[in-house]
Amino acid sequence: MEHAYGNAELTERYRRAGFGGRVGWGKRPALLVIDMANAWTRPDKTFGSDLSGVTDSIVELLAVFRRKELPRYFTTMAYDPDMRELGEVFAKKIPGTRTMVRGTADVELIPELGRQPDETLIEKPRASAFVGTNLTSQLISDGVDTVVVTGCSTSGCIRATCESAIDLNFRVIVPLEAVGDRSSYAHAANLLDIDNRSGDVTPLSDVLKHLG
């Protein structure tokens, strides 16, 4: 049986096993744009893949969040040239992270997002946007109870961020068309797991309808 989002038979099996409840929306959402930097969005880069469709969806969400003056946060991964922040074990497992040097083009957000001066940029040392950062305290300060998680990669930083968010008792919404991965199989499999364990995977149109 294919382990993939959209597999109705497997989804029903998860439901019967006690997974897959709906967290729904709270009163104040924030938009998290995870790692939409050059290193991940340019196909010619080591980490890169074609995320043009994901970019378009995020731009659409950003317009709504900006119009409604709701909180927006961006993340990237960046380290000093000596890589001490990276850590020996993490660097061995994902050696490509050694190219993520603070101040280089690889770690810069893509210009299509048009990040504004009032939009926080967080440099995260690990996959989750919450680990080793002050994101939690910023969300609390902004009165946020719901995070709309977008960006890449579904199997890595998106999943890790969703798991951290629900562990901290934030509601998690994942717009289906606003997340992506270099592997379509990993993308589909991890969307299934996120939807059953840590957040509500929701069509972009439904997210926009709710916000609108």
Side-chain angles (χ1 to χ4, degrees):
M1 183 181 296
E2 185 181 17
H3 189 93
Y5 181 78
N7 185 324
E9 182 181 350
L10 186 55
T11 297
E12 178 57 28
R13 183 180 296 184
Y14 270 88
R15 296 289 188 273
R16 293 197 304 268
F19 294 89
R22 301 291 87 184
V23 299
W25 292 82
K27 295 180 179 180
R28 185 166 170 78
L31 181 65
L32 305 186
V33 181
I34 305 299
D35 293 356
M36 292 296 286
N38 291 311
W40 291 276
T41 61
R42 307 306 188 205
D44 60 326
K45 298 292 184 179
T46 301
F47 284 152
S49 59
D50 181 7
L51 296 175
S52 53
V54 172
T55 301
D56 291 342
S57 297
I58 294 173
V59 168
E60 195 169 359
L61 284 164
L62 279 167
V64 176
F65 272 80
R66 286 166 178 161
R67 186 172 68 248
K68 291 182 169 293
E69 298 184 344
L70 293 168
R72 290 89 61 197
Y73 299 86
F74 295 82
T75 74
T76 187
M77 297 182 79
Y79 308 95
D80 284 337
D82 63 11
M83 293 289 150
R84 285 187 57 80
E85 302 159 280
L86 182 57
E88 179 184 4
V89 175
F90 194 77
K92 285 183 175 180
K93 177 51 64 176
I94 312 177
T97 51
R98 294 184 184 275
T99 68
M100 308 303 292
V101 178
R102 186 171 285 115
T104 64
D106 276 1
V107 305
E108 292 179 358
L109 299 179
I110 55 175
E112 293 93 323
L113 302 176
R115 176 177 164 253
Q116 304 296 304
D118 64 336
E119 295 172 341
T120 300
L121 174 62
I122 293 173
E123 293 182 345
K124 61 185 182 66
R126 295 293 182 267
S128 170
F130 292 88
V131 174
T133 76
N134 64 354
L135 177 59
T136 303
S137 61
Q138 292 195 58
L139 292 173
I140 292 171
S141 178
D142 280 337
V144 170
D145 59 7
T146 305
V147 290
V148 179
V149 182
T150 67
C152 63
S153 297
T154 313
S155 59
C157 297
I158 297 298
R159 178 170 181 158
T161 296
C162 291
E163 290 172 345
S164 293
I166 196 170
D167 285 345
L168 293 165
N169 212 37
F170 291 103
R171 297 169 185 263
V172 180
I173 306 293
V174 179
L176 179 60
E177 296 89 343
V179 292
D181 197 288
R182 64 188 56 82
S183 165
S184 60
Y185 299 103
H187 176 69
N190 281 275
L191 282 176
L192 175 71
D193 290 338
I194 290 169
D195 196 47
N196 279 290
R197 299 173 185 271
S198 57
D200 295 356
V201 177
T202 307
L204 176 65
S205 59
D206 288 354
V207 174
L208 294 171
K209 181 179 179 180
H210 175 86
L211 292 169

